[in-house]
Each structure stands twice: as structure tokens, then as C-alpha cells.
Amino acid sequence: MDSCWVVSYGTFSGSSRSSLQQEESAAPEVEMEVEVKDVEGETKKLKYPRAIPFIVSNEFCERFNYYGMRTVLVLYLTRKLDFDDDTATVLYHTFTTLVYFMCVVGAIIADSWLGKFRTIFYLSIVYTIGSACIALGAIPTWDLNARAATIAGLLLIAFGSGGIKPCVAAFGGEQFKLPEQAKYLALFFSMFYFAVNSGSFVSTMVTPILREDVKCFDDDDCFPLAFGVPGVLMVVSIIIFVLGKPLYKMSAPAGNMFVKVSKCIWTAIRTRSREKSVNPREHWLDYSEKRWGRQLVDETRILLNVLTLYIPLPVFWALFDQQGSRWTFQATRMDGDLGFWTIKPDQMQVINPLLILVFIPLYEIAFYPLLSMIGIRRPLQKLTLGGIFAGVAFVISTIVEIQLESTYAVLPKAGEGQLRIFNGLECDYLVRSDVPEHADFTLERMSMFEEKYLSVSGSARYTYTMTSTSAGPDCEVPVQGTFEVNEEKQISYFLRKQNGGTDMLRYEDDTEKSSKGYPMFRVLGSTATNRIVVFRDIDTSKPFDRHTNGSYVYDLIESYPSDYDIFVDGELTLTFSMRLGGVYAFIVSDLDNGRATIQTIEVTEANSINMLWLIPQYVVMTLGEVMYSITGLEFSFTQAPQSMKSVLQGCWQLTVAVGNLIVVIVAEAKIFDAQKWEFVLFAGLMFVDMGLFAILAWRYKAIPLKTYDEEDDPNATLPIEQKEEHGLDNPAFKKASDE
């Protein structure tokens, strides 16, 4: 679920490990112990640090906030802030891009300036302010600019969440004395990973319930609560973290390797441009050796060798993170009713953290042994297979989307128009017209006729005559006139009672499903006198009149999926269940005895494909994630020098940021009219990308690690401050052969 849960800038670096071995803490300790021998040969007992529960609990609360907010975010952007699906997708993935970009910035701040404790504390406050902005902006009665508050809140959360992400795990690692407590360090990371996915699982399950099942501020849902509860958990995380301060080991900032590597590369580029012709070197990085030393140059070369394999990696994250955007929108077009429980569209995201907790042990016990039997044993093979799984997941989502299209409204294209006729009278009519392929057709009482594929250029007119053999004064007089249909328009006519006679009302229709996934309905009044029609939600504990319409008003209303008692002039006339995605017309008509009747017409089919059909694509994507993410980090760590592991983790997080940027570009380009083609694009891109990765993996040659000491490299231990102060003219930068 969280691709950089083990980010630990400096924790595994040589300098940090040394400081951990040298630093003694007066913090109290628990009873778990490890026996080691000190320099005098006496046995000492190292106990499990008592600070760890505070750090793990802090992480649980922070992840609850992050994933709880992100779970309902795209629905809030579309349903409350009225962004369309593409814009909401862009905002969602731009936010995720900023979060992972800020991981690198947060690590630099912690290692070069504030230290991990103060970075976590200060940025957590920024994080909390951002959560409060979104929650308060969602309260409609406060009359705040909800869009501005949301954008500001997302920026603050991106800075806060991304900034503390690389620091928390590293700070926890610093509480252990290495290598004596390496076993307990491994246990800590297992606990930390469990806290990450537990927080994600619980919040992904709970926040959709708070959003939909709670009513507040006279709304059908309660986004302020769905954002507010995670925000409160963020406050709790700060309190827990601060309470543990007396127990923490805290080391001073020791400089960030990411900065050193960047300076080393910049020096090589700048020096090479001046000295290439007079002082050729075997590798372009060798031009920075005089300033930065042989060790840093060689280790940077190893780092860049590994990073070559990172070039195709962002595409995986472009697919993976669409679980919270495109796949959530896909779920809104499906039916979540299980009979005993209704799944919320955003709750489908809970499958990912749940499956992660199941798949990790299964991979070790069953999956990897089975893969080894067919020759897939090496890390790069597993990583390639993980990416292929992601592509397969999008193939599955494409198949689901094709099936969903049969439930979508048919919209007129260029050269087409649509005609619908609603009969609001208690009369059956024989219609004679010059509508193509419909010269004669029957329009039954309280029913609808439709033609979705009329060939129209600009506009077209069709004459008609409607005669009825039904009894009753309203049915005796023939109805004549002209239907006018416009290109790329949906035109509807409503035959109704009006002023003691009959009348044909024309209006421009819209049968497209709500982008929010809600049902939509219209009231068509065909009564002798004006009547009041009230829809009362019977699923609430207290009857709630959601919508009221006069009989002569044709209205299009976005409703809430629920069971409704429908009253006409205060009298219960019909009980009806409006389902997700449906577009309904309610024809209200008078009977002979003066009482009203209501006829329901489903203009656009409600969501009929069950949301459980999304499970296969989530399962396959999670299979790919476990193999891709964990194997990729493991391979990177084993290939990189000890001092470069933190830099590699930063670059790994940047691949997530770039992946989300790819989604932003595709969504903003709006290349496709149908969602299925966008899924096809990403699936194809993933397969091509893994083909490129397979070629890079086949050509990859590991550069052996070397052991350096001061005799081999006089500059290896020179402080960075001295190098920066004296520059290339510093005699310490010159090797004996240069003098």
C-alpha cells in the first residue's frame, strides 16, 4: 500500500551507523534483552527500546489520516466541488506526485538542517493544518471557499506527509544499537510495516462509512466528518510522538548524501567541459575525483548504474495509483448491493492493504517456491513479472469497462439526434409519422417511446398524428403536430393535460448518468390542477423530505440511492427504490376518481454489474505490487554501496512521483472519449515498458563494491565542509601522481 514505508535516509549510511554504535542513551528500556560484550569483555544487556511503541503508534495514526483522506478525495472533488472526472483525476495524482517529491525534500531538511525529531514534529503540524483546511472547507454552513480550502489543504498535506515519510522509519531505526540489535531492528520494521497497512486498512474501511452513512448539515452525506476524523487522528499522532520524546535517541544532522551525490555529479559535468581535451578520463565521473575523492566517485558510479534500471519504473506507479482515481470512478458506475450490505465505491480500495497482509507471507511460503520451479528466481525477473501483473490488471479493468458500457446512456454523436415521447395520459395511441423506420407505432398509456439513432444534419422535422381508441374525454381528440430533432441533442416531448385539454411539451433532455454515481430523476406532471410531489427517504431514522416538485414543473434532480415514499398532495402514492446510476422519469397523472397515480420509467438503466467484479483486478494488481515494490527495494539495497542506500530510496520515491505525473499528463490531454481506451493505453504502455526493462536487466552488469581506507584514498575521510571551503585548489584534493 505504501511504497516507501522503509524510507530511512541516513539510517543505513555509514555515518549514521557509526553514530548509533557510539551513542549511549539514558532512556529507560523494556525487558527484552540482548547480551553483548563491551570492550572490557564484560557482558552487558541491551533491552528493546521503550521509544518504539510511540513511533509505531504515531505511524498508525498518521497513515490513518493520509489514506482516510485520500480514499474519499476523488468523490469529494466530483460530488461536492463539482470537478469533472478528468480534473479530479489530475488533482488526485498531482497531489500524490507532490507527496513523493517532498519525500526527498523532507530527507534533506532532516539530515542537513533540523534533524529527524524536529522535522517530524514541525511538518506534522503543517500536515494537521492541511487536514483542518479540507475538513473545515467541507462544512457548507461556514460559507468558505471550499475549492480554495481544499487546494491549500492538499498542498500543506503534501508538504507535511511527504516531508515526514522518509524520517519516521529512519528515526525508529536510530533507537537501536547496531549491529548488536539488528534482530530487534528487523522486528521494528515488521511492526512498522504492519502499522502502515493497519492504518490504511482501517481508515479505508471507516471513512467511506462516515462519508455516506452519516447525514450532517442537511446533506445526504457527511464529508466534513469523513475528513475530520482522520484529522483528529493526526492530532493524536503528534501527541503520541511528543510524549515519547524523553525516551528517544536523537542525533544531530550529519549532512545528506543526496546533496553530496548531486554536487559530485555537478562537479564532474562542469570539470569535464573544461578538461576533456587536455585531461581525458576513463569515466566522466572521474573528473570530480580531485574534489570529492575516489570513494564517492566510485560509489556514485555504482549508484547511476543501478538508476539506469529505474528509467522504466514510473510506469508501474502510474497504473498502481489509479486505484484511488480511475478505478474508484469505475466503481461508482457499478452496483455495490450485496443484499445484506452495500459496498461504497471508495471502500473497494480496502482490498489492497488487506491483500498485502495476506500475500506477503504467501509469497515466501508458496508463490516464490512455485516461481522458482519455472525458472523465475532472480530479483530482476520477479520485478519484471510484477510489472506484467500490473498490465494484466488493467486488461481486466478494460474488460470490466467494456461490460459496463452496455449500462451507460447512449449519447448522440455528430450526425445523430435522439427523440423520446412520454405519454402522460391514460390513453393508448396509434402514432402515424414520417420518423424514419417508425411510420406507425403504438404509444401506450403512461409509457415512453424512444429512438436513439436518428440521422440528423443540423435539425430535422417530422410530422405526426396520434389517435386513440381508449375511452375517456382526454382520449377522444386526435393529437397532431411536428417533432423537431437537433443534431447531437436529446429532444423529448411530453403529452400531458393542460388547461382542460391536452398539450405537447418539448424540452432538451439529458439521459447521461451522473458523474457522481447518484441516481437522477424527473417529475412530469399531467394533472388538471397543480399538485405537490414530495420524495421522502424511508431509510433515515427521521423522515426527511429531500425533493419537492410542482406538477407542471419538469425537473432533473440528482438524488441519493435509497428507498423513497412518494407523496402527492400529502397522500402516499408510491414507494420506489432509486438505484445508483439510474435515470428515472416519474409521470404523475389524475385518475377518474380525482386521485393521483405515479408511473415510473427507467430512462437509463441503473448500475447492474456488481462491484465484486472489480476484485480480480485488485488481486492481480496487489500480486504485482508485492513482487514489484518489495523486490525492487531489496535489489536496490543489495546493489548499492552502504552510503548510497538512502539516495536510492529517494530516487525510488521519485519514480512514484513521476508515475503519477504520467497519469496527470494523460488525463489532462483527454485523448479518448471512452475510458476503456485509456485503460488499454496504460496496459499496453506497461507491457512495452516491461519489455524495455527486460532489455536493461539483461544488459545490467553489477559494479563490484570496493573497500576504501585513508591510505588508498586520502580524500575519503575529508570533511565536506573543507572540500567546499577550499575547492579544487586544495592540495588535499591532488593525488601524488598529479604533483
Side-chain angles (χ1 to χ4, degrees):
M1 186 74 185
D2 199 328
S3 61
C4 59
W5 67 273
V6 293
V7 174
S8 48
Y9 283 83
T11 298
F12 298 100
S13 66
S15 61
S16 294
R17 174 170 291 188
S18 174
S19 65
L20 284 172
Q21 291 172 339
Q22 295 172 5
E23 182 179 353
E24 296 292 338
S25 173
E29 298 163 331
V30 296
E31 296 303 320
M32 191 176 289
E33 300 174 347
V34 177
E35 290 191 355
V36 296
K37 290 186 177 181
D38 61 13
V39 292
E40 298 176 357
E42 297 179 354
T43 298
K44 296 175 58 178
K45 291 184 178 181
L46 296 178
K47 301 177 182 180
Y48 199 88
R50 292 178 63 185
I52 296 304
F54 292 91
I55 296 174
V56 172
S57 300
N58 163 267
E59 183 65 13
F60 172 87
C61 294
E62 186 273 326
R63 292 290 87 185
F64 185 103
N65 180 44
Y66 178 76
Y67 283 108
M69 180 278 302
R70 208 173 73 157
T71 296
V72 300
L73 179 59
V74 292
L75 297 185
Y76 176 67
L77 294 174
T78 54
R79 295 184 178 183
K80 296 300 180 182
L81 303 187
D82 295 325
F83 291 109
D84 59 36
D85 288 3
D86 288 334
T87 305
T89 298
V90 167
L91 290 173
Y92 177 90
H93 288 282
T94 300
F95 164 71
T96 307
T97 298
L98 291 174
V99 168
Y100 284 92
F101 175 76
M102 288 306 304
C103 288
V104 177
V105 177
I108 294 174
I109 291 173
D111 289 346
S112 304
W113 181 29
L114 293 178
K116 294 181 179 62
F117 176 84
R118 287 195 295 168
T119 300
I120 295 171
F121 177 66
Y122 293 150
L123 293 187
S124 292
I125 294 175
V126 174
Y127 193 162
T128 304
I129 295 172
S131 299
C133 284
I134 296 179
L136 296 177
I139 300 176
T141 57
W142 282 30
D143 198 26
L144 298 175
N145 187 328
R147 285 193 171 191
T150 300
I151 299 301
L154 290 176
L155 290 173
L156 292 173
I157 292 174
F159 184 46
S161 176
I164 68 175
K165 189 183 289 287
C167 301
V168 180
F171 188 65
E174 289 183 352
Q175 309 308 308
F176 297 87
K177 186 176 179 64
L178 298 177
E180 294 88 344
Q181 289 186 304
K183 177 181 177 181
Y184 293 155
L185 179 63
L187 176 61
F188 160 72
F189 280 118
S190 297
M191 294 168 57
F192 190 86
Y193 184 64
F194 183 81
V196 167
N197 285 280
S198 297
S200 169
F201 173 78
V202 175
S203 65
T204 305
M205 178 64 72
V206 170
T207 50
I209 295 175
L210 298 176
R211 171 189 63 79
E212 183 163 314
D213 293 350
V214 179
K215 320 301 179 189
C216 63
F217 303 105
D218 293 330
D219 279 344
D220 297 335
D221 46 30
C222 195
F223 277 99
L225 186 64
F227 289 127
V229 170
V232 170
L233 264 291
M234 192 61 217
V235 175
V236 173
S237 75
I238 297 176
I239 295 173
I240 292 174
F241 184 68
V242 172
L243 288 176
K245 183 178 181 181
L247 307 176
Y248 298 146
K249 294 179 181 178
M250 290 184 282
S251 55
N256 188 275
M257 185 57 69
F258 198 99
V259 176
K260 296 178 183 178
V261 169
S262 300
K263 291 182 177 180
C264 179
I265 293 173
W266 171 245
T267 299
I269 294 173
R270 187 181 59 181
T271 307
R272 181 174 181 268
S273 64
R274 297 198 307 258
E275 300 182 5
K276 181 179 180 180
S277 57
V278 297
N279 187 19
R281 297 296 186 98
E282 180 181 354
H283 191 272
W284 64 273
L285 276 173
D286 292 339
Y287 287 97
S288 64
E289 179 183 353
K290 288 197 297 183
R291 179 162 187 172
W292 299 106
R294 185 73 252 166
Q295 178 177 352
L296 183 60
V297 169
D298 287 346
E299 292 181 347
T300 302
R301 184 178 177 184
I302 295 172
L303 172 72
L304 296 181
N305 188 47
V306 175
L307 289 183
T308 303
L309 294 173
Y310 277 31
I311 295 173
L313 299 189
V315 177
F316 174 87
W317 302 115
L319 275 66
F320 175 80
D321 277 331
Q322 289 188 61
Q323 293 177 89
S325 57
R326 291 303 197 196
W327 283 11
T328 297
F329 289 134
Q330 192 176 40
T332 65
R333 302 189 288 271
M334 304 180 76
D335 183 14
D337 186 10
L338 303 182
F340 60 92
W341 183 50
T342 300
I343 307 173
K344 282 74 174 173
D346 34 358
Q347 276 185 325
M348 290 302 297
Q349 298 175 59
V350 79
I351 297 175
N352 179 258
L354 179 62
L355 289 178
I356 284 178
L357 298 176
V358 175
F359 283 166
I360 287 179
L362 281 180
Y363 261 106
E364 299 300 330
I365 296 172
F367 295 162
Y368 283 144
L370 289 174
L371 290 174
S372 66
M373 294 174 62
I374 59 175
I376 299 178
R377 302 182 181 90
R378 295 189 295 274
L380 294 182
Q381 290 176 314
K382 297 176 183 178
L383 204 150
T384 304
L385 183 58
I388 292 173
F389 275 143
V392 172
F394 265 67
V395 171
I396 297 173
S397 67
T398 302
I399 296 173
V400 172
E401 185 65 26
I402 291 173
Q403 298 303 312
L404 286 175
E405 283 188 343
S406 64
T407 69
Y408 295 166
V410 176
L411 304 179
K413 302 177 182 178
E416 293 180 349
Q418 291 184 355
L419 172 66
R420 289 179 181 84
I421 308 169
F422 293 90
N423 182 5
L425 304 181
E426 293 287 332
C427 311
D428 295 328
Y429 283 97
L430 175 63
V431 182
R432 298 182 184 276
S433 72
D434 54 359
V435 176
E437 300 183 13
H438 297 284
D440 296 294
F441 62 91
T442 299
L443 180 62
E444 297 180 350
R445 65 189 66 193
M446 307 289 281
S447 67
M448 175 189 71
F449 162 84
E450 66 177 349
E451 173 54 63
K452 301 177 182 178
Y453 303 100
L454 285 175
S455 179
V456 176
S457 178
S459 64
R461 292 176 176 270
Y462 310 102
T463 60
Y464 67 87
T465 300
M466 302 171 60
T467 58
S468 175
T469 58
S470 301
D474 295 330
C475 306
E476 296 175 353
V477 180
V479 181
Q480 298 179 342
T482 302
F483 297 131
E484 182 180 352
V485 182
N486 303 109
E487 184 179 4
E488 296 187 74
K489 300 288 186 180
Q490 301 179 65
I491 302 300
S492 289
Y493 286 85
F494 176 41
L495 180 60
R496 62 176 182 168
K497 293 180 182 179
Q498 181 73 23
N499 298 324
T502 59
D503 175 62
M504 188 72 82
L505 172 68
R506 181 184 186 272
Y507 55 88
E508 185 175 331
D509 212 339
D510 183 6
T511 63
E512 187 174 9
K513 293 188 175 187
S514 166
S515 62
K516 302 177 183 179
Y518 290 156
M520 305 179 74
F521 73 87
R522 313 165 186 275
V523 174
L524 299 173
S526 178
T527 57
T529 59
N530 189 50
R531 295 180 180 268
I532 302 301
V533 183
V534 176
F535 290 71
R536 182 164 296 172
D537 186 352
I538 65 175
D539 287 342
T540 59
S541 57
K542 182 180 179 181
F544 182 55
D545 297 343
R546 296 178 181 272
H547 308 288
T548 302
N549 297 82
S551 65
Y552 296 138
V553 177
Y554 179 86
D555 205 357
L556 173 63
I557 294 176
E558 195 169 61
S559 182
Y560 191 76
S562 183
D563 293 327
Y564 288 90
D565 283 339
I566 306 176
F567 296 82
V568 179
D569 287 344
E571 182 177 352
L572 177 61
T573 306
L574 178 69
T575 298
F576 185 77
S577 177
M578 281 191 275
R579 297 164 54 200
L580 286 169
V583 178
Y584 305 95
F586 294 95
I587 301 178
V588 182
S589 181
D590 286 337
L591 296 177
D592 292 338
N593 58 11
R595 298 183 60 187
T597 182
I598 298 178
Q599 179 64 44
T600 303
I601 298 175
E602 188 176 57
V603 182
T604 301
E605 179 186 356
N607 298 349
S608 56
I609 298 178
N610 198 279
M611 216 175 285
L612 294 181
W613 284 105
L614 291 176
I615 290 179
Q617 64 199 54
Y618 277 94
V619 171
V620 175
M621 179 62 78
T622 307
L623 282 170
E625 179 201 0
V626 175
M627 189 175 295
Y628 192 93
S629 179
I630 296 178
T631 304
L633 281 171
E634 177 187 354
F635 172 79
S636 301
F637 275 24
T638 57
Q639 297 297 301
Q642 192 73 17
S643 62
M644 294 293 170
K645 297 188 187 300
S646 61
V647 181
L648 257 177
Q649 289 190 48
C651 295
W652 180 269
Q653 293 150 34
L654 288 178
T655 66
V656 183
V658 174
N660 280 270
L661 187 59
I662 292 173
V663 182
V664 171
I665 294 171
V666 173
E668 192 67 22
K670 300 180 180 180
I671 304 172
F672 307 109
D673 294 331
Q675 182 60 55
K676 64 182 178 182
W677 298 120
E678 187 176 296
F679 286 157
V680 169
L681 171 66
F682 279 109
L685 185 62
M686 190 74 246
F687 292 135
V688 172
D689 186 68
M690 284 299 97
L692 173 62
F693 181 81
I695 295 174
L696 293 175
W698 177 70
R699 298 179 59 184
Y700 175 77
K701 302 294 183 184
I703 300 176
L705 301 175
K706 299 179 182 179
T707 302
Y708 297 87
D709 54 38
E710 192 169 353
E711 183 178 349
D712 296 331
D713 184 2
N715 299 328
T717 58
L718 193 65
I720 187 172
E721 293 81 5
Q722 184 176 349
K723 297 176 185 180
E724 292 177 339
E725 179 180 353
H726 297 286
L728 294 173
D729 296 330
N730 188 336
F733 297 157
K734 295 183 179 181
K735 300 175 63 175
S737 58
D738 296 331
E739 295 177 347

